[in-house]
Amino acid sequence: MFNSELQKDLRHNFTVNVIESGFFGFGSGFASFFTIIPLFVSTLTDSALLIGLIPAIPRLGWQLPQLLTVSKVARLQCYKPTVMSLTIHHKLPFLGLALVALLQLKLNHQTILLLTFAILIWQGLGGGFSATAWQSMIAKIVPSRKLGIFYGTLAASGNLMSICGAAIAGLLLKEIAQPFNFALCFLCASLAMALSWFFMSRTREPVNTTSSAFETRREFWDTLGVILRCDENFRCFAIARMISQLALMPLPFYTLYAIHQYGMGEVSVGLITTLLMVTQTIAGLVLGWLGDRTGCKLILQIGCVACAFSSIFACLAPNADWFYLVFIGEGIGMMALQNIAAVMTLEFGNQHQRPAYIGLGNTLIAPATIFAPLLGGWIVENIDYRTTFLVAAIGALATALLLHVGVSNPRYLEENFSNNSVNILPE
C-alpha cells in the first residue's frame, strides 16, 4: 500500500514536478533538437547526415547509459541526491551552447561544429545517466494508479511551454543578428533549465529503510540475465517496444512526402507542427488518465492502431489536407508508445527490482531506436515513401498483436499474485 507519508506529499510532488517539466519544455523550445539546433548547425555545415543526427542524439543518450547505472541506483536508499547531481549534466550544456555560439566570432566553423556536437553528446548522456535514478524516484513517490496521469501532465506542461519557447525563439532569430540571436536563444534555454533544476530539487522523497539485495556487481549482472530468461511477460514487452520503433519511424518523412508530393507550403507545415504538439498535449492527459483506469497495455495497443492508421492515411492521401489526420494519429501514437510505455516499464518488479527493469527496458530498445529511422531513410532513397509508410503500418500492427497475445498488465499481476514479476530478489 502507498503509505501515508507519500500520500501526504503527493500533491506537493505533483505540483513541483509539473512546474519543473514546464520550465524544461520552455527551455527546450529555445533550443529545440528538431528546429533551432539543426538551424544553428546548418550555418556551420551543409552535411545532411550531421544535421539529421541531431534529433537522435538525445534519444540515444537517454537510452544507452541506463543499464550502466542500475547497479548503483539499486543500492540507493534515496534517489533524489543522485538525480540532482547527475541531471546537472542534462541541463548545464545549454549554457555551453550559448558560449559556443558567441565563439563563432573567434573560431572557424569546423571547430565550432566539433564543440557543438561534443556539447550535444554531453547533454544526451547527462539525461541517460540520471534517467534510471529519476524514474526510480518517480515510481517511488507516485502511486502506480496515478503514474499515467502524472506522466501525461508532465508531457502536457512540457509541450505547452515548448510552444511558447519556440515562438519567442523565432522572434529572437528574426530580430537579432547572427550569432547573437542563437546565443541569446541558448542562454534563455539555460536559464529555463536552471529553474527546472530548482523545482526538481523541491521534490520530497522518503528514505528507504531496507538495503539493496545486490551484494556484488557480478550478482547484479547475473540478475539481469535471470530477468530476461525467467520473466516472459517483461521479455515480450521489451520485444514489443523494439518493434514499435518501426511504427514511429515515418514521422520525419511525412512532412517531406507532403512537400515533395503535394507541394505543401511553409504555412501548412507550421500548422501541422502546431497540431502535432497540441495533439500530444491533449493525448498525454487523456491517455494517461485512461491508462490509470484500464492498464497501460490497452493504451499501447491504441497507440499502435493510431500509428497504423496514420501510415495508411499517408499512403492513400489524395492531397496534402489528409496529413492533418496523419499527424493527429501520429501524435496519439507517439504519446502512447513513448510516454505510456515508460509508465508501464515502471510497473515491473518490486522496489528493489525496479531499477534493473528500468535499465533493461530502456537500453534494450536503443539499437532499434537508431535502426528504425535509418531503415526508413534507406527505403525512401532506394524504393519510395509509401513503402516506408507500409513497413511502419506493419510494424505497428505486429506490435499490437504481440502486446495482445504475449503481454499482461504487470500492475494487475501484482494485485492478483502480490508480485508483478518473477521474484528474483529478496523483498
Side-chain angles (χ1 to χ4, degrees):
M1 294 295 291
F2 203 69
N3 64 48
S4 58
E5 182 182 359
L6 291 180
Q7 190 66 50
K8 179 184 66 175
D9 290 333
L10 179 59
R11 178 172 295 182
H12 168 86
N13 285 332
F14 193 96
T15 300
V16 298
N17 279 277
V18 167
I19 296 173
E20 181 274 329
S21 181
F23 277 114
F24 187 88
F26 190 54
S28 297
F30 281 101
S32 170
F33 279 81
F34 294 95
T35 55
I36 307 299
I37 295 177
L39 183 61
F40 173 66
V41 171
S42 71
T43 66
L44 305 171
T45 178
D46 294 327
S47 172
L49 176 61
L50 289 177
I51 295 172
L53 283 175
I54 292 171
I57 291 174
R59 284 185 294 165
L60 286 175
W62 170 266
Q63 293 169 348
L64 283 174
Q66 291 197 34
L67 201 57
L68 302 177
T69 65
V70 171
S71 179
K72 178 181 178 181
V73 171
R75 299 172 186 271
L76 298 175
Q77 293 185 318
C78 187
Y79 302 116
K80 179 182 167 183
T82 299
V83 173
M84 297 313 302
S85 63
L86 291 179
T87 198
I88 290 174
H89 301 283
H90 192 41
K91 303 177 188 296
L92 184 61
F94 292 100
L95 180 59
L97 286 178
L99 297 175
V100 166
L102 290 176
L103 286 174
Q104 275 188 281
L105 299 172
K106 299 289 185 180
L107 302 177
N108 61 57
H109 282 186
Q110 184 176 4
T111 303
I112 296 297
L113 192 64
L114 289 172
L115 289 173
T116 298
F117 273 88
I119 290 173
L120 294 181
I121 293 170
W122 172 27
Q123 193 273 341
L125 292 176
F129 280 108
S130 61
T132 303
W134 179 77
Q135 291 171 95
S136 299
M137 180 181 75
I138 295 302
K140 181 179 176 183
I141 65 175
V142 179
S144 177
R145 287 193 174 274
K146 294 185 182 293
L147 278 170
I149 191 62
F150 180 83
Y151 267 74
T153 307
L154 291 187
S157 175
N159 283 330
L160 286 174
M161 293 300 289
S162 181
I163 294 173
C164 296
I168 299 173
L171 293 175
L172 294 177
L173 292 175
K174 180 180 179 180
E175 299 296 333
I176 299 174
Q178 189 180 335
F180 301 103
N181 51 1
F182 286 108
L184 187 54
C185 284
F186 298 148
L187 179 61
C188 290
S190 66
L191 292 175
M193 293 297 170
L195 289 171
S196 168
W197 186 91
F198 170 79
F199 280 99
M200 181 182 286
S201 72
R202 301 299 94 189
T203 301
R204 297 171 184 170
E205 179 200 0
V207 178
N208 295 339
T209 57
T210 56
S211 59
S212 169
F214 297 128
E215 295 295 336
T216 65
R217 187 174 296 271
R218 173 65 180 273
E219 181 181 348
F220 158 72
W221 288 105
D222 288 344
T223 295
L224 299 183
V226 172
I227 290 176
L228 292 176
R229 287 196 308 272
C230 300
D231 194 341
E232 183 179 357
N233 194 40
F234 176 77
R235 189 168 65 247
C236 288
F237 171 70
I239 295 172
R241 286 199 69 190
M242 293 178 194
I243 301 174
S244 73
Q245 301 309 302
L246 291 175
L248 299 172
M249 171 182 68
L251 179 60
F253 303 113
Y254 287 146
T255 304
L256 295 175
Y257 179 66
I259 292 172
H260 294 157
Q261 184 73 16
Y262 302 110
M264 179 181 283
E266 293 179 356
V267 173
S268 295
V269 171
L271 288 174
I272 277 183
T273 302
T274 302
L275 178 64
L276 176 65
M277 299 187 75
V278 171
T279 300
Q280 288 179 299
T281 300
I282 298 173
L285 293 170
V286 174
L287 296 179
W289 176 85
L290 188 61
D292 288 337
R293 284 152 181 77
T294 65
C296 293
K297 173 183 169 179
L298 175 62
I299 308 305
L300 297 187
Q301 292 173 300
I302 291 173
C304 291
V305 173
C307 285
F309 273 114
S310 290
S311 296
I312 292 171
F313 285 157
C315 283
L316 300 177
N319 55 60
D321 291 339
W322 277 47
F323 281 84
Y324 290 98
L325 292 176
V326 169
F327 275 78
I328 289 174
E330 193 69 13
I332 294 171
M334 286 178 66
M335 292 307 299
L337 296 178
Q338 292 180 344
N339 277 45
I340 303 303
V343 171
M344 190 166 175
T345 303
L346 301 182
E347 296 180 348
F348 286 91
N350 58 39
Q351 183 169 301
H352 295 306
Q353 298 169 340
R354 190 170 294 123
Y357 278 98
I358 291 171
L360 280 171
N362 286 286
T363 300
L364 286 176
I365 68 168
T369 299
I370 192 63
F371 171 76
L374 291 176
L375 174 64
W378 183 88
I379 295 174
V380 166
E381 290 183 356
N382 292 275
I383 307 177
D384 57 23
Y385 282 101
R386 290 185 176 182
T387 303
T388 299
F389 303 155
L390 180 61
V391 171
I394 293 172
L397 295 176
T399 302
L401 179 62
L402 179 57
L403 288 168
H404 179 70
V405 301
V407 180
S408 300
N409 280 301
R411 182 198 311 164
Y412 298 150
L413 291 179
E414 179 183 22
E415 292 173 352
N416 292 333
F417 302 108
S418 299
N419 191 7
N420 61 348
S421 65
V422 62
N423 189 17
I424 60 171
L425 295 176
E427 299 287 347

